[in-house]
Amino acid sequence: MFLGFTGPNAAGKGEAIKYLVEKHKFIMTSLSDILRDAAKEKGLEPVRENLIAIGNELRETEGAEVLARRTVAKIKNAPQAVIDSIRNPKEAEELRNNLAGFKLIGVTADISIRFERAQKRGRAGDGDTLEEFKAREEKENTDDENAQQLSKCFEIADYTVDNSKGKEELYAQIDAILKKMDYKPYSRPSWDEYFMKMAYLAAERSTCLRHHVGAVMVRENQIISTGYNGAAKGIKDCTQLGCLRDQMGIASGTRHEICRAIHAEQNAIIQAASHSGNTKGAVVYCTHSPCIICAKMLVNAGIKRFVTSNEYPDPSYKELFAEAGVGFEVIARPEMNIQVLD
C-alpha cells in the first residue's frame, strides 16, 4: 500500500505521517528529501525558499514529475510506504501510474490554526504575521505546471482530512481512510514462514517433471544446508531424458528406487555432511511431506522437527516420526511475493 500526502503549510501532514509510521509501521519518504540533498550539494541552507526554488528548477529541467519519478525508484518494492510533500499534480500522476494502489490524501486546516502551528514550530520562511503567512502561501501556489500547485493537488486527492480539531480527530480520520481501503497491515514473516519460503525457492532448482520439492535444514535459526529433488551430480536429469517413472507407468509414492532423482530431504542431509554440518537437533522445512525412506534418514540424522505445507496421503512417515520423537507440523503455504525496500 502506498499513500501520498498533500496540503498547505502546517496543515498537519507530518503528524498524520508520523501516526502511520509509528502505529501502522509504514516506511516514510518525502519528495523534499531529494530537494534537501540537492541543496546540500549546492551549499545552500535547506530552508523553505531554497527548497522551493530547487524544486521548481528540477521540474523545469527534468519534468514536473521528476521528484516523484526518483522516489518511485527508491520505494517501489516496499510493502507499505507513505510519501510526503506532493506539491504538483504531475507528481501525483507519476505515483499513481507506478505504485500499485497509490492513494493521495489531502490534509487541511483553518488558516489561522495553521499559522499558530507554524509560529510554534518556528521554522524559517513561514512568515511572522498572518498576512505574511497568507502572502507566502499564495506565492507558492501558482498556475505554472513546473512549479508548486498545491490547490490542484488537493483537488485531485482521493481522500481529504480536516485537521482543525487536534491529533485524536486526525488519527481517527486516518484510520477511517485505511478501513475504506481495506488495509491489511504488513507483517514480518515468522521464522517458519521465512524458512519455508526458502524451501520453495530451493524447489525452483528441481529437475523433476512431476513435483518440484525443496528443503532447508536449520539449526538455531541458521541454515545448515538446502536441497531439491534432482539427479546426482554429473548425471543427466529428467529435463534431458524424460521421466523414467512416467515411461514405466509407476504411480507416485511407490517404488522410490526407480527414479533418477535424489529427494530434496536426502540432498539436504548430503549437503550438510559434505560441508561438516551438524544435523543433530536440526529442523527441516520442506515443501512436501517425506516419503518413508526420507523419513528414516531424517530420524537417523537427528532431526527434531519437520515442517511442511503439503501432505502425502501415505501416513507411514507420521507413525515413524511419532515413535522416534520427531515433531511434525503442517503450516500454510507462505505468500511468495517478495516485499523489500530497495
Side-chain angles (χ1 to χ4, degrees):
M1 175 180 283
F2 297 95
L3 301 177
F5 278 81
T6 191
N9 190 17
K13 301 182 295 296
E15 188 63 42
I17 289 169
K18 181 182 176 184
Y19 176 70
L20 286 167
V21 171
E22 294 182 355
K23 175 70 182 294
H24 296 290
K25 310 305 178 187
F26 275 68
I27 295 164
M28 182 268 182
T29 189
S30 172
L31 302 193
S32 293
D33 291 343
I34 296 166
L35 303 180
R36 293 186 185 95
D37 291 342
K40 185 177 181 180
E41 290 177 5
K42 292 175 178 286
L44 299 173
E45 289 294 320
V47 296
R48 189 174 183 82
E49 288 185 357
N50 288 341
L51 297 182
I52 291 171
I54 293 169
N56 291 345
E57 180 184 344
L58 282 172
R59 295 186 190 99
E60 184 70 34
T61 57
E62 298 186 38
E65 77 290 348
V66 57
L67 303 182
R69 186 172 65 248
R70 293 187 185 184
T71 299
V72 166
K74 290 168 52 180
I75 66 166
K76 61 183 178 181
N77 291 322
Q80 55 185 38
V82 58
I83 304 135
D84 192 14
S85 303
I86 298 169
R87 296 186 171 95
N88 185 288
K90 292 289 186 181
E91 294 169 347
E93 182 180 348
E94 180 75 10
L95 296 170
R96 280 195 175 116
N97 290 340
N98 293 282
L99 295 177
F102 173 83
K103 298 296 181 184
L104 182 63
I105 299 174
V107 183
T108 190
D110 182 83
I111 192 167
S112 60
I113 294 174
R114 293 193 287 108
F115 173 67
E116 288 179 13
R117 291 173 182 163
Q119 291 297 293
K120 287 180 181 178
R121 72 185 182 187
R123 188 179 295 173
D126 282 340
D128 296 325
T129 66
L130 180 58
E131 288 69 27
E132 286 183 6
F133 186 77
K134 289 180 180 178
R136 287 177 183 271
E137 196 163 280
E138 290 172 3
K139 182 181 178 182
E140 294 170 5
N141 196 22
T142 71
D143 290 326
D144 183 351
E145 66 177 16
N146 290 318
Q148 291 193 164
Q149 296 183 318
L150 284 174
S151 294
K152 291 186 178 180
C153 284
F154 203 85
E155 289 171 5
I156 63 171
D158 299 287
Y159 302 98
T160 58
V161 170
D162 188 334
N163 185 30
S164 298
K165 295 182 179 180
K167 293 181 181 180
E168 295 307 316
E169 177 66 21
L170 172 65
Y171 300 159
Q173 291 180 74
I174 295 297
D175 283 337
I177 290 172
L178 293 177
K179 186 175 181 179
K180 286 180 182 178
M181 295 178 66
D182 194 26
Y183 167 67
K184 294 178 177 61
Y186 167 75
S187 60
R188 189 181 181 197
S190 68
W191 284 114
D192 281 351
E193 292 168 333
Y194 174 66
F195 291 122
M196 187 59 77
K197 278 189 177 185
M198 292 191 176
Y200 276 96
L201 183 61
E204 289 189 336
R205 287 283 300 166
S206 171
T207 57
C208 179
L209 300 182
R210 286 189 174 186
H211 300 289
H212 287 183
V213 182
V216 174
M217 188 178 292
V218 176
R219 284 185 71 232
E220 298 178 352
N221 291 334
Q222 297 292 320
I223 294 174
I224 301 171
S225 66
T226 64
Y228 55 86
N229 54 333
K233 289 181 180 179
I235 304 299
K236 289 183 178 180
D237 58 53
C238 294
T239 63
Q240 299 167 296
L241 300 174
C243 176
L244 180 62
R245 293 170 65 81
D246 279 349
Q247 293 163 6
M248 297 180 66
I250 299 172
S252 179
T254 65
R255 302 194 65 186
H256 301 293
E257 75 280 4
I258 301 178
C259 182
R260 292 190 178 91
I262 300 170
H263 288 191
E265 305 94 308
Q266 296 170 12
N267 264 327
I269 294 170
I270 293 166
Q271 293 303 317
S274 66
H275 295 286
S276 302
N278 183 0
T279 61
K280 186 176 181 180
V283 178
V284 169
Y285 295 85
C286 191
T287 57
H288 296 68
S289 55
C291 69
I292 188 62
I293 296 173
C294 286
K296 292 175 183 177
M297 291 183 177
L298 292 167
V299 168
N300 270 14
I303 302 305
K304 70 175 183 180
R305 181 170 172 248
F306 188 96
V307 184
T308 187
S309 58
N310 280 301
E311 287 190 86
Y312 283 133
D314 178 8
S316 56
Y317 65 89
K318 288 185 180 179
E319 297 168 1
L320 180 70
F321 280 167
E323 185 177 350
V326 176
F328 176 76
E329 189 173 349
V330 179
I331 66 172
R333 179 171 176 165
E335 293 185 9
M336 295 307 294
N337 56 313
I338 305 300
Q339 303 182 72
V340 294
L341 180 63
D342 286 342

